Amino acid sequence: MSRKFFVGGNWKMNGDKKSLGELIQTLNAGKVDPNVEVVCGAPSIYLDFARSKLDAKFGVAAQNCYKVPKGAFTGEISPAMIKDCGVNWVILGHSERRHVFGESDELIGQKTAHALESGLGVIACIGEKLDEREGGITEKVVFAQTKVIADNVKDWSKVVLAYEPVWAIGTGKTASPQQAQEVHEKLRVWLKTNVSEAVANSVRIIYGGSVTGGTCKELASQKDVDGFLVGGASLKPEFIDIINAKA
């Protein structure tokens, strides 16, 4: 079964209307592979701005949301609000949410369930830290994270799994294409065993962690790498080269 290549750009806490407006103009004018699904993760305060300016061929994602539709949760946003801005995706469980803001697996699972129930697509992030990789427990860590997500998913067609080794995010270290492929393949086997063969074959597993125009082609050639979640490079014109990694 062919899986549509998926490239997400995570702008993180970067940009302003001027710089993001220029980036959006570059993307809108760029020649991008029509066989790739592209989603840009904008800061929540710019979701409306990004959605109104980006071509319809590009999706937009929030970078986080809460687990209920509304209420006394100062500083949070809900899937209902995200959808009200015309935005159809949310990134959940990013390593910065887990390790900088202390979000637990349980909370990420609850957010995933609520976002999916609300009709958003979810880019669900998993990945091990450096000490976990060096300690030989990469599989144990990513399988445990994946299980909490899987327990909260009814419709896998709305989920993209993003494998991001924490030691490779923003460090300039990229997992080798072979390291990425190895984990992606094991994740697919885990899904086959614990969810279903159909889900294992159809769900897109994308790689994140210092993806650049220089590293994207070889990563994209790996059998089980179905796209990327791109950080810093998604704010630069080279994001177009990454979108076109398979072209």
Side-chain angles (χ1 to χ4, degrees):
M1 173 164 188
S2 77
R3 298 179 291 268
K4 187 170 188 175
F5 206 71
F6 185 103
V7 177
N10 181 6
W11 297 349
K12 305 193 181 182
M13 196 177 76
N14 291 300
D16 51 28
K17 284 188 175 175
K18 182 175 183 292
S19 64
L20 294 177
E22 288 165 1
L23 175 67
I24 287 167
Q25 281 184 319
T26 302
L27 291 175
N28 288 346
K31 196 167 172 359
V32 297
D33 184 342
N35 301 312
V36 176
E37 185 168 5
V38 182
V39 174
C40 295
S44 59
I45 200 163
Y46 296 134
L47 285 172
D48 224 344
F49 175 79
R51 183 61 286 168
S52 66
K53 301 279 186 195
L54 269 169
D55 271 3
K57 67 182 177 221
F58 298 112
V60 176
Q63 297 174 13
N64 190 25
C65 68
Y66 200 49
K67 62 181 181 179
V68 292
K70 62 182 171 119
F73 302 101
T74 301
E76 292 290 327
I77 60 171
S78 70
M81 294 170 177
I82 293 167
K83 287 193 73 178
D84 194 38
C85 291
V87 170
N88 295 319
W89 287 90
V90 64
I91 301 168
L92 290 175
H94 191 277
S95 68
E96 287 145 22
R97 299 303 319 169
R98 293 176 187 268
H99 303 304
V100 180
F101 299 101
E103 291 191 8
S104 65
D105 276 344
E106 182 187 21
L107 177 60
I108 291 158
Q110 292 165 337
K111 289 180 175 195
T112 299
H114 180 58
L116 290 168
E117 282 159 12
S118 305
L120 287 178
V122 172
I123 301 166
C125 303
I126 55 177
E128 82 285 5
K129 294 187 290 195
L130 184 59
D131 60 338
E132 292 165 338
R133 175 163 280 269
E134 289 175 343
I137 57 168
T138 294
E139 282 174 55
K140 184 182 166 198
V141 171
V142 297
F143 290 168
Q145 291 169 338
T146 305
K147 182 182 189 317
V148 180
I149 291 161
D151 288 346
N152 286 283
V153 175
K154 295 189 179 81
D155 178 7
W156 281 92
S157 70
K158 305 279 283 191
V159 177
V160 172
L161 266 186
Y163 168 61
E164 298 199 293
V166 181
W167 48 271
I169 297 175
T171 58
K173 291 180 184 168
T174 311
S176 70
Q178 295 71 32
Q179 282 174 316
Q181 167 59 23
E182 184 186 5
V183 176
H184 284 227
E185 188 175 10
K186 286 174 175 166
L187 281 166
R188 225 177 275 292
V189 171
W190 187 93
L191 289 166
K192 183 177 173 181
T193 307
N194 295 280
V195 182
S196 74
E197 187 165 9
V199 165
N201 290 335
S202 62
V203 79
R204 291 171 292 184
I205 306 175
I206 65 177
Y207 170 78
S210 300
V211 177
T212 64
T215 58
C216 64
K217 278 208 175 321
E218 201 186 347
L219 282 161
S221 70
Q222 304 300 309
K223 183 167 79 75
D224 289 296
V225 175
D226 302 314
F228 306 114
L229 187 55
V230 185
S234 70
L235 293 158
K236 301 173 186 165
E238 75 179 286
F239 187 53
I240 292 171
D241 301 329
I242 298 170
I243 294 167
N244 295 332
K246 296 278 269 194

